[in-house]
Amino acid sequence: MKVEVHIWDWPLRLFHWLLVLAVVGAYATGKLGGNLTDWHARFGSLILGLLVFRLIWGFIGTTHARFASFFPTFSRLVDYVKGEWQGVGHNPAGAIAIIALLAALSFLTVTGLFANDDIAFEGPLFHVIDKELSDKLSGWHIFAVNILLGLVAVHVTAVVLYQRLKRTNLVGAMLTGKKQLPKSLAPSPIKPVGPFRFVITLLIAATVVWGVWSGGFVEYLAPLASFQSASANPKS
């Protein structure tokens, strides 16, 4: 017998769908380029804020949003391979996919902050490093898009297979926060999300984005540019 249990909190679900929107928007505007380059940067800023939010929420969110609850440890992976894993949140394979996606997006976001297109766009931290390094990071940024596309394809395929082979509606669960589970595995419903944790996390994420684009972080990172210049032109 299965019962419906509330697993995913609403901030996690909001993060998930906003991230989908931001990634699609960033990819489309990056591909089209031209006058949409500014929108590519805006979507990138949204992704940056969402990633900071998710990082913090992974430690202070509700039970199944926390990294500790689903991190793919060796024992969890062994149990999963043997078919003995019993959990209610992300399974170990899904956890690997999530971590890989977050890592790829983090790499894309960071390299994008320092990137340039040799025409009209310069990332907010472009002037912190020299042009040669910026060009290298720009190349890595473009290459990493292909890695992200591959990971997204794997993720979508897994969602479809779970729906068709296991009759598990992962999309519905991420919309409603509820999941069908055997009664023997059903945990207690998650506690309501208090406004304090959410507001504080949101403020920190917004502050990071503002600090990057307002130039506030450039002041602190300026010594890095000086160090690079000195290294590139050592005294004889």
Side-chain angles (χ1 to χ4, degrees):
M1 178 180 177
K2 288 190 174 183
V3 295
E4 190 175 65
V5 183
H6 192 189
I7 297 293
W8 311 120
D9 60 49
W10 66 265
L12 179 66
R13 301 189 327 260
L14 180 62
F15 156 82
H16 179 273
W17 295 113
L18 284 177
L19 187 64
V20 171
L21 173 65
V23 169
V24 171
Y27 178 75
T29 53
K31 274 291 185 182
L32 294 172
N35 295 331
L36 292 176
T37 301
D38 288 342
W39 275 102
H40 181 72
R42 292 186 183 104
F43 280 117
S45 298
L46 177 57
I47 293 173
L48 171 62
L50 288 170
L51 290 174
V52 174
F53 181 93
R54 184 65 183 96
L55 176 64
I56 300 171
W57 203 249
F59 292 98
I60 68 171
T62 54
T63 302
H64 306 293
R66 299 188 181 190
F67 298 128
S69 72
F70 64 85
F71 189 81
T73 61
F74 181 74
S75 60
R76 288 174 179 173
L77 287 169
V78 170
D79 289 342
Y80 183 75
V81 171
K82 290 181 178 179
E84 298 174 356
W85 178 82
Q86 292 187 329
V88 297
H90 298 299
N91 63 49
I96 291 174
I98 290 169
I99 292 171
L101 280 166
L102 292 177
L105 284 169
S106 297
F107 183 81
L108 275 162
T109 302
V110 171
T111 53
L113 296 176
F114 296 93
N116 75 95
D117 64 359
D118 284 321
I119 302 175
F121 176 77
E122 293 176 352
L125 302 181
F126 168 77
H127 297 288
V128 174
I129 59 178
D130 60 40
K131 179 66 164 56
E132 182 179 356
L133 180 55
S134 175
D135 289 342
K136 183 177 294 186
L137 292 177
S138 301
W140 291 353
H141 182 79
I142 295 172
F143 175 76
V145 172
N146 298 319
I147 296 176
L148 178 65
L149 291 176
L151 292 172
V152 169
V154 171
H155 180 65
V156 172
T157 300
V159 170
V160 173
L161 289 177
Y162 262 78
Q163 176 67 47
R164 294 193 174 183
L165 300 180
K166 294 190 175 184
R167 297 292 186 268
T168 301
N169 187 357
L170 297 179
V171 175
M174 196 50 68
L175 285 170
T176 65
K178 298 176 181 179
K179 192 174 181 181
Q180 294 284 339
L181 294 168
K183 192 173 183 179
S184 59
L185 291 179
S188 301
I190 59 174
K191 296 180 180 179
V193 175
F196 179 77
R197 281 187 296 171
F198 175 74
V199 171
I200 290 298
T201 307
L202 186 63
L203 285 175
I204 294 173
T207 299
V208 171
V209 175
W210 175 83
V212 167
W213 282 97
S214 69
F217 285 178
V218 174
E219 180 180 350
Y220 295 101
L221 294 174
L224 178 61
S226 301
F227 175 77
Q228 284 190 321
S229 298
S231 299
N233 301 289
K235 293 181 180 181
S236 57

